[in-house]
Amino acid sequence: MLLHIPQVFTRDEVTRIRQALEGAQWIDGRVTAGYQSVKAKSNEQLAEDDPLAREIAEAMLQRLWQHPLFFSAALPNKAYPPMFNRYRDGGTFGFHIDNAIRKVRGSAEQVRTDVSSTLFFSDPDEYEGGELVIEDTYGVRQVKFAAGDLVVYPGTSRHKVMPVTRGTRYASFFWTQSMIREDSQRTLLFEMDQAIQGLTADMPDHPSLLTLTGTYHNLLRRWAEV
């Protein structure tokens, strides 16, 4: 499942975050790449222990954990702290699949990368290229959303970032370990949850709501790993 979640941050919030990112200290993005992906990666990142990265990451996760659409889609258990990248001057990242397990820096905690997310901090007209290309069972999608918008997609997907030939592309990316390991099961639960919410809004007294809600939670109980 690939999902577009608009306006995680408002325009004013994006402006303040962008100003902070533009004045930050950036390092070679290959420092966090795996053995295979390091060969395809050409970008810059904030150091994982950078105070600015930690401040924005904390605000992002707090916002997203309270966001009904993100929670419904990802069913998060825990997350790898968001990181931040910058693409410019031809920067790119060729096709790769993210590592299945990420060890949190400075911690014994590990996160299984079930769900990948990218939050854009540059608008599409601010740079040329830089599309996030995602391949999966649903086909190939090119993603280039507005600043403040989030894309959520399976961590098992092959994906790449096209070369940025003009301007600068700022974004954040992170992984979520879901309570539901399998994307197909998460998708079924998401679709059921959205249908229940729609029915609740249109016909709040419909007798089928009790049955549907009970079925949703029984499936969640059967499949969840917590």
Side-chain angles (χ1 to χ4, degrees):
M1 177 178 63
L2 187 153
L3 181 66
H4 175 200
I5 302 180
Q7 296 182 333
V8 172
F9 286 111
T10 67
R11 300 303 298 185
D12 288 344
E13 290 171 328
V14 167
T15 297
R16 291 196 296 271
I17 293 170
R18 269 288 298 277
Q19 289 173 345
L21 292 176
E22 288 168 359
Q25 296 294 316
W26 295 86
I27 62 174
D28 191 330
R30 289 174 293 183
V31 298
T32 59
Y35 174 75
Q36 289 295 327
S37 60
V38 72
K39 305 172 185 178
K41 190 174 187 180
S42 176
N43 68 2
E44 299 167 290
Q45 290 179 192
L46 292 187
E48 292 184 70
D49 58 357
D50 187 303
L52 175 62
R54 290 183 171 180
E55 179 183 355
I56 303 173
E58 183 177 346
M60 278 180 58
L61 291 182
Q62 184 178 21
R63 180 72 55 88
L64 287 169
W65 254 237
Q66 297 173 355
H67 196 295
L69 194 57
F70 177 82
F71 196 91
S72 178
L75 291 170
N77 184 359
K78 55 184 176 179
Y80 190 89
M83 296 191 288
F84 300 83
N85 57 24
R86 178 172 74 176
Y87 288 85
R88 59 179 181 168
D89 300 329
T92 186
F93 198 166
F95 269 124
H96 62 285
I97 295 176
D98 295 325
N99 292 348
I101 306 293
R102 303 283 302 203
K103 187 177 184 302
V104 177
R105 184 182 178 91
S107 166
E109 186 173 29
Q110 298 185 105
V111 175
R112 190 180 65 236
T113 58
D114 298 325
V115 179
S116 297
S117 299
T118 296
L119 200 157
F120 294 86
F121 288 112
S122 297
D123 281 314
D125 61 359
E126 294 183 280
Y127 59 98
E128 290 181 1
E131 295 86 357
L132 175 60
V133 181
I134 304 169
E135 288 185 357
D136 207 284
T137 53
Y138 46 75
V140 180
R141 290 280 302 275
Q142 291 197 17
V143 176
K144 194 173 183 179
F145 292 151
D149 288 11
L150 182 80
V151 61
V152 178
Y153 60 97
T156 53
S157 304
R158 218 167 71 113
H159 57 285
K160 68 178 179 179
V161 177
M162 298 293 288
V164 172
T165 57
R166 178 188 63 82
T168 303
R169 176 192 189 270
Y170 291 95
S172 177
F173 61 101
F174 70 99
W175 299 275
T176 303
Q177 179 171 318
S178 177
M179 292 184 284
I180 306 298
R181 183 191 297 257
E182 291 295 329
D183 178 60
S184 60
Q185 294 173 340
R186 285 196 308 274
T187 300
L188 285 172
L189 287 169
F190 174 73
E191 291 174 348
M192 182 177 288
D193 184 43
Q194 295 304 297
I196 290 169
Q197 291 186 41
L199 186 58
T200 300
D202 294 340
M203 291 179 285
D205 299 320
H206 198 289
S208 294
L209 274 171
L210 181 61
T211 301
L212 285 173
T213 303
T215 301
Y216 173 88
H217 283 285
N218 284 333
L219 288 173
L220 182 60
R221 184 178 294 110
R222 176 183 290 267
W223 293 335
E225 301 172 12
V226 294

